[in-house]
Amino acid sequence: ILPTSTDWEENLEQIEEALIESDLGVDLSMNVLEKLRSQLNLLKEINNDDVFNKMGNILKKHLLNSSRELKEKDSLVVVIFIGINGTGKTTTLAKTALNLLNSNKKVMLAACDTFRAAAIEQISLWGEKLNVNVIKGNYGSDAASIAFDAIDSAKAKNMDYLLIDTAGRLHNSKELMEELKKIIRICNNKIPVDNLEKLFILDGTTGQNGFHQAKAFSESVGINGIVVTKLDGTAKGGIVIAIEDQLQIPVKYIGVGEEMEDLIPFNPDYFIDAMLK
Amino acid sequence: SISERFQGIFKDIRGMGKITDKNIQEPLREVRKALLEADVNYKVVKKFMASVKEKSLGEKVLTSITPGQKIVKIIYDEMVSLMDQEKGEIDIKSGFSSLMLVGLQGSGKTTTAGKLSSYFKKNDLSTMLVAADTKRLAARQQLKTIADQVGSDFFTIEDEVNPVLIINAAKETAQKKGIRRLIVDTAGRLHVENELMEELASIQKNLIPDEVLFVADATTGQDAVNICKEFNSFLTLSGIILTKMDGDARGGAAMSIAYTTGKTIKFVGIGEKLGDFEPFYPDRMASRILG
Ligand SMILES: Nc1nc2c(ncn2[C@@H]2O[C@H](COP(=O)(O)OP(=O)(O)OP(=O)(O)O)[C@@H](O)[C@H]2O)c(=O)[nH]1
Ligand SMILES: Nc1nc2c(ncn2[C@@H]2O[C@H](COP(=O)(O)OP(=O)(O)OP(=O)(O)O)[C@@H](O)[C@H]2O)c(=O)[nH]1
Ligand SMILES: [Mg+2]
Ligand SMILES: [Mg+2]
């Protein structure tokens, strides 16, 4: 976003356009623009760097200051991957497994999507690539019972992490959200509550509905962290600023490709800079 | 709802009898905000609102309705006509036709291939589902499972990485067997991956499909314009399918895509099962987007 006009109202409109086109949302964009306008009004002379820096700082204030690390404990940590259909849960689980293996952690996977065609084959192939065990059952079997068995197995084998894949689901499906609650309940019965990392996987191309998704999943089962996928495209993922600001849930990683290496820690500064480009 | 909100704004210009530059400002601002919140692209909203303003100014308002209601009606009608391109029926009459599904990763192509196959089967047309996604893990198995559920033919070449070769062989086999509909599922890809977009273009050039359907997720935000612009430039799209409409996304991407490509949205996906598939209704979509 580089102001091109000497007319500052026109420049502010261009900035508003860039913010909204980043999926920041109307209300947050107007809020941020108002803050910028009042800061610029205090300056005798405005140059582009001023605007860029001020804009970046205003946006960063809406992001959280909290930890963006995955939970790490002395006993088994279970990471469960949840979210809407097709957002990249299974792929992100595989990427996370690689990261953990590269930090010398012992990892096991659980195939708790027992519904979608070839979901179990898909995660099994990832398990082969990663050379890790995958606990699975039959299609149509109860996802929560697979999770139950997987946690037992992970504890018995002294695993550091158990990564649980779940079926995609819409947050407005009462039945599917109840199923998810049941899976989470089973996990909470078998490990300390603090050892469960609930990662919400958000597709980076999603618009305002991303906020409603995060809110619904958060209210239903609670979310510890978010991974925003597909940011190797042209979408800016601005909706996460609203999510962090209003729901207080940190983005921990971003997905930037289809290979197992394509997962990087979320860096607020890089993210805002990329948004303002 | 928008209509209810407008009752309030126009209480004070009721009976004025005409839409003017002055009294149109507030309602246009309100609708603009609603469209942006529904994920309609910023530039699309700007151009659309400009043309609505032009159409509305000077319009007479009957004393039986408020100017606000009149403006909303104009906007609604414009949205419906924008998304109601020339009749976009999928051919269920001709002897043989082929269709290819394209789109971003995870948009719902493979699932939609199954739904199309099921739709054709209901219309007594034999179908063959072609697994031409040679990249995604277990992609062939996913489509094979779906083909078995539908009861349709299935074709792939197990260790072939070139989708064009798979599709050529599939078409030959289908025509020999007298199969009437060939549905090609392709790998999801980004609109900015040039090599992969060229691959799609060469698939189209080879197969010369009767339908090139862009499968888009109804939750897509502002980026919908960038995405469909590229797909529409590398390929000659014949239509759009909007998936995950059973969610609660307002679906402004539908308006962005219709505006940008001028192509018809032919079907919507409303669930994960084979039968969760219905024709696209522009009037229902317009109401949903306006909120
Ligand atoms: N370009 C890109 N593609 C991704 C990324 N993450 C996942 N994908 C692709 O998105 C598609 C869907 O990924 P999955 O991991 O199957 O998604 P999912 O959420 O498990 O899907 P369901 O289980 O069906 O709900 C696949 O084609 C992945 O390769 C990413 O960061 N970038
Ligand atoms: N609720 C709902 N889910 C859908 C719909 N269409 C597809 N899905 C789900 O979305 C997810 C992704 O669907 P796929 O068919 O694998 O998507 P794809 O475009 O083939 O993915 P890639 O091949 O990786 O690009 C799956 O979980 C599907 O069941 C729909 O209309 N509604
Ligand atoms: Mg999955
Ligand atoms: Mg697919």
Side-chain angles (χ1 to χ4, degrees), chain B residues 110 133 142 185:
Chain B
T110 305
D133 177 350
Q142 185 184 4
D185 182 27

Side-chain angles (χ1 to χ4, degrees), chain A residues 85-91 95 113 116 122 168 229-230 232 255-258, chain B residues 105-106 136 190:
Chain A
N85 306 71
T87 55
K89 297 174 293 301
T90 307
T91 307
K95 293 173 181 178
D113 178 353
R116 203 210 69 212
Q122 184 184 9
T229 61
K230 308 178 196 173
D232 44 322
V256 291
E258 302 196 65
Chain B
Q105 290 91 344
R136 170 175 160 145
L190 293 177

Side-chain angles (χ1 to χ4, degrees), chain A residues 137-185:
Chain A
N138 296 319
Y139 282 99
S141 61
D142 180 30
S145 73
I146 310 266
F148 186 98
D149 294 342
I151 292 175
D152 280 344
S153 185
K155 281 182 177 173
K157 295 200 160 77
N158 235 331
M159 292 287 122
D160 299 313
Y161 285 88
L162 171 69
L163 308 186
I164 299 181
D165 191 23
T166 66
R169 71 201 63 229
L170 293 180
H171 53 288
N172 55 320
S173 160
K174 191 162 192 307
E175 180 183 355
L176 292 181
M177 293 309 283
E178 283 306 312
E179 182 204 53
L180 184 60
K181 281 189 195 159
K182 182 175 172 205
I183 300 173
I184 301 291
R185 253 198 320 277

Side-chain angles (χ1 to χ4, degrees), chain A residues 13 16-17 20-21 23 26-27 30 85-86 115-118 121-122 125-126 129 168 170-172 205-209 213 230 232-235 258, chain B residues 32-33 36-37 39 41-43 46 104-106 135-138 141-142 145-146 188 190-192 219-223 226 244 246-249 272:
Chain A
E13 189 186 321
E16 178 195 55
E17 175 169 343
I20 290 179
E21 286 190 333
D23 287 316
V26 181
D27 287 338
M30 298 203 303
N85 306 71
F115 169 73
R116 203 210 69 212
E121 285 85 342
Q122 184 184 9
L125 286 170
W126 277 119
K129 274 187 189 262
L170 293 180
H171 53 288
N172 55 320
T205 64
T206 308
Q208 298 308 296
N209 195 248
Q213 294 172 19
K230 308 178 196 173
D232 44 322
T234 49
E258 302 196 65
Chain B
R32 174 182 175 271
K33 184 166 201 278
L36 291 174
E37 285 174 342
D39 292 324
N41 178 269
Y42 186 96
K43 292 183 175 75
K46 192 168 182 183
L104 291 187
Q105 290 91 344
K135 180 155 113 197
R136 170 175 160 145
L137 294 183
Q141 184 58 52
Q142 185 184 4
T145 302
I146 289 171
L190 293 177
H191 51 301
V192 290
T219 66
T220 311
Q222 295 288 313
D223 208 36
N226 290 332
K244 306 175 203 173
D246 44 323
D248 58 10
E272 297 194 71

Side-chain angles (χ1 to χ4, degrees), chain B residues 41-192:
Chain B
N41 178 269
Y42 186 96
K43 292 183 175 75
V44 170
V45 171
K46 192 168 182 183
K47 293 178 206 157
F48 178 77
M49 297 311 278
S51 85
V52 159
K53 183 173 182 182
E54 206 174 315
K55 280 205 165 73
S56 310
L57 286 177
E59 280 285 310
K60 298 225 181 342
V61 186
L62 301 172
T63 49
S64 55
I65 62 168
T66 67
Q69 286 173 310
K70 173 104 191 189
I71 291 177
V72 171
K73 181 80 175 72
I74 292 173
I75 289 169
Y76 172 83
D77 289 342
E78 287 299 304
M79 286 172 69
V80 172
S81 88
L82 170 67
M83 292 187 287
D84 192 11
Q85 315 284 340
E86 18 81 29
K87 229 21 203 132
E89 303 287 340
I90 289 210
D91 175 13
I92 49 172
K93 296 266 168 7
S94 77
F96 175 83
S97 74
S98 61
L99 305 86
M100 82 189 250
L101 299 178
V102 303
L104 291 187
Q105 290 91 344
S107 64
K109 299 174 292 300
T110 305
T111 308
T112 301
K115 292 174 180 180
L116 275 170
S117 174
S118 175
Y119 172 75
F120 285 133
K121 190 149 185 273
K122 288 191 185 110
N123 284 286
D124 296 321
L125 298 165
S126 58
T127 66
M128 172 184 276
L129 284 168
V130 184
D133 177 350
T134 60
K135 180 155 113 197
R136 170 175 160 145
L137 294 183
R140 288 174 168 96
Q141 184 58 52
Q142 185 184 4
L143 192 61
K144 171 99 187 36
T145 302
I146 289 171
D148 291 343
Q149 285 169 0
V150 180
S152 102
D153 249 72
F154 172 77
F155 188 95
T156 195
I157 302 175
E158 274 307 325
D159 294 314
E160 180 53 68
V161 299
N162 183 350
V164 175
L165 299 181
I166 297 176
I167 294 163
N168 288 344
K171 182 172 181 185
E172 200 175 323
T173 307
Q175 291 184 316
K176 276 208 189 87
K177 287 180 158 190
I179 287 171
R180 297 186 61 189
R181 290 295 177 273
L182 189 72
I183 302 167
V184 177
D185 182 27
T186 67
R189 67 203 65 212
L190 293 177
H191 51 301
V192 290

